[in-house]
Amino acid sequence: MAVQTGKTLQSHFINTYNNLSVLGKVPSEELGVVLPHEHILVDYTTGLDTTTSFLNGRDVAGLPVTMENLGFTRRFMYSVRENVVLDEIEKAETEVGLYKTSGGGCICEMSVVGMRRKEHSFDDLARISKATGVHIVSTTGFYSESFLSAEIKTMSVQSMAELMKTEVAIGSGPMGLKCGVMYIACSDPLKETEKKALEAAAITHKETGVAIQVAPGRTTDLPFRILDRLYSYGVHGQAISMSHVDRAFSDCETNLKLMSDLCHRGCYINHSLFGKECSHYPCNEDFDFPSDAQRIARIKALVDRGCLDHLLVSHDIVCRNEWACYGGYGYGHMLDHIAPKFLNRGFQRATVDRIMRENPQRWLTCSEFR
């Protein structure tokens, strides 16, 4: 199908969009609890890390994900090849079904170009959604430059925008399934492809109204620079979510102020790594990964600073050891364990609902801010 551009594409989108899940229109109030950053079917082997010094040269890439290896796999989740691929459709149905049983309503599936399975098909997400009753929002966009092919790296800004607009407004696969959100992953310093992807996302947002999620690397100033860049392209802060803030900002007063400043500049911030509680962070050996309790304490401090309307939470499940069938918490962790902990730590029920329901629903339906 030829790519449609300009007013034709925008008109098509405006006539059909209402929080587009893989099964079609969903009124925002019917989404329920939303996990705004997860993976259901993904291939992260490009990010396989077998060089971390803590392995002491041990070759572990070929280890199976078994009970005997579970403790090791939890600590070095990105070093075991089998662990960084989620491709079992029936097990995915079971895992998403468990989330439904816990009270979940919607999952944003963030597997974009650079981390999609070779046999990637939005039709598989539709099958999982139908089988479980969970609304799944599929994602268009680009992962960080080191994950992308030479062909993608040579694309122009306009070509990248056309690809994303097509996946949003026209859809793909035999069923023409459409994407309802964008995701751009970035490095520090920003690579040229990532700069192009951010500009292309801004173009796509302004023509379609689809929200943007950004993975802003692992430094505390990059989210601000990315936000400035998106603002310069005319994107409204309510359309932007900065994901993975819990891998860059440590537990100190200075970083709490930075996160508060980021919220007050208008975007959402997503503590999107709940359930990852190993203090060893293989992607940055100098950084102590927080526990869920520390994440909750930080969110409470941000609420006290007036940031409630800008907070999102999720797990970023990307590895097998995070699925319940492989010994993990699964997608229900936020409802089964974190929501009760919020209440135990003095949050009001309405505050929890704001963070887990209302904020992500509002972010996903940001088209009014174009």
Side-chain angles (χ1 to χ4, degrees):
M1 179 181 292
V3 174
Q4 297 185 38
T5 60
K7 293 182 179 180
T8 302
L9 182 61
Q10 186 171 357
S11 175
H12 178 92
F13 180 84
I14 290 172
N15 289 335
T16 60
Y17 179 78
N18 187 1
N19 215 350
L20 214 57
S21 78
V22 290
L23 297 183
K25 301 177 184 180
V26 184
S28 59
E29 65 271 14
E30 294 182 11
L31 290 175
V33 172
V34 178
L35 294 177
H37 192 123
E38 304 294 341
H39 300 274
I40 298 172
L41 300 172
V42 62
D43 185 339
Y44 196 72
T45 51
T46 302
L48 191 70
D49 176 22
T50 59
T51 61
T52 175
S53 61
F54 287 90
L55 290 174
N56 296 315
R58 182 181 173 189
D59 183 9
V60 299
L63 285 177
V65 182
T66 60
M67 186 60 69
E68 291 79 7
N69 294 325
L70 183 58
F72 178 89
T73 307
R74 284 174 173 165
R75 184 170 179 82
F76 299 100
M77 62 171 59
Y78 305 119
S79 299
V80 177
R81 182 176 293 105
E82 183 179 281
N83 198 46
V84 297
V85 178
L86 298 178
D87 60 355
E88 300 166 292
I89 308 297
E90 291 184 359
K91 287 183 179 178
E93 289 179 2
T94 300
E95 295 293 318
V96 175
L98 290 173
Y99 171 62
K100 179 69 172 181
T101 300
S102 297
C106 176
I107 296 177
C108 296
E109 212 288 352
M110 307 304 289
S111 300
V112 294
V113 174
M115 59 191 316
R116 289 174 176 172
R117 300 173 304 149
K118 292 180 181 178
E119 65 277 20
H120 179 78
S121 171
F122 294 128
D123 293 350
D124 291 332
L125 296 178
R127 166 183 164 178
I128 294 168
S129 183
K130 287 179 181 178
T132 62
V134 172
H135 302 297
I136 297 176
V137 180
S138 60
T139 309
T140 187
F142 302 89
Y143 208 59
S144 51
E145 185 179 271
S146 62
F147 283 72
L148 301 176
S149 67
E151 179 183 5
I152 296 295
K153 293 176 186 177
T154 60
M155 290 177 69
S156 66
V157 169
Q158 193 58 43
S159 295
M160 297 176 96
E162 294 298 336
L163 186 153
M164 289 191 284
K165 286 188 288 184
T166 297
E167 290 195 339
V168 167
I170 307 302
S172 64
M175 298 172 63
L177 300 176
K178 303 170 185 177
C179 294
V181 72
M182 286 180 283
Y183 177 40
I184 307 297
C186 298
S187 314
D188 195 9
L190 278 173
K191 305 297 191 298
E192 289 304 311
T193 309
E194 295 160 2
K195 293 176 183 177
K196 290 190 293 182
L198 287 169
E199 184 175 358
I203 293 170
T204 303
H205 166 72
K206 288 191 289 185
E207 293 195 23
T208 67
V210 172
I212 303 170
Q213 185 143 204
V214 179
R218 303 181 180 95
T219 56
T220 55
D221 64 325
L222 185 57
F224 293 92
R225 287 185 274 130
I226 291 172
L227 196 59
D228 286 339
R229 185 177 288 268
L230 289 173
Y231 280 174
S232 74
Y233 297 141
V235 180
H236 193 283
Q238 289 286 297
I240 303 167
S241 166
M242 291 290 172
S243 206
H244 304 340
V245 294
D246 32 359
R247 73 181 187 186
F249 296 91
S250 58
D251 287 317
C252 68
E253 188 66 21
T254 299
N255 283 336
L256 187 63
K257 181 181 183 303
L258 286 173
M259 279 191 289
S260 175
D261 290 346
L262 197 57
C263 291
H264 289 310
R265 289 206 55 201
C267 70
Y268 295 92
I269 65 170
N270 189 355
H271 284 76
S272 54
L273 301 173
F274 271 93
K276 294 177 170 62
E277 294 196 276
C278 179
S279 61
H280 170 67
Y281 183 36
C283 299
N284 182 357
E285 295 177 359
D286 296 325
F287 183 77
D288 291 331
F289 222 41
S291 67
D292 283 352
Q294 288 171 305
R295 293 182 180 101
I296 291 170
R298 182 186 296 170
I299 289 171
K300 190 174 190 304
L302 288 169
V303 170
D304 292 342
R305 288 174 178 247
C307 299
L308 174 59
D309 288 343
H310 298 271
L311 301 176
L312 305 175
V313 291
S314 208
H315 313 101
D316 186 31
I317 288 177
V318 74
C319 294
R320 290 192 182 189
N321 72 283
E322 298 177 285
W323 273 3
C325 64
Y326 287 104
Y329 294 130
Y331 302 104
H333 178 54
M334 196 63 63
L335 286 162
D336 295 338
H337 307 125
I338 302 306
K341 191 77 168 179
F342 274 136
L343 298 174
N344 179 261
R345 290 295 182 265
F347 285 71
Q348 298 298 311
R349 170 62 67 180
T351 300
V352 179
D353 283 345
R354 183 77 62 85
I355 294 170
M356 299 177 64
R357 294 173 182 265
E358 297 169 26
N359 286 353
Q361 290 173 10
R362 191 171 64 247
W363 167 64
L364 283 170
T365 54
C366 65
S367 58
E368 65 190 86
F369 295 106
R370 281 182 293 162

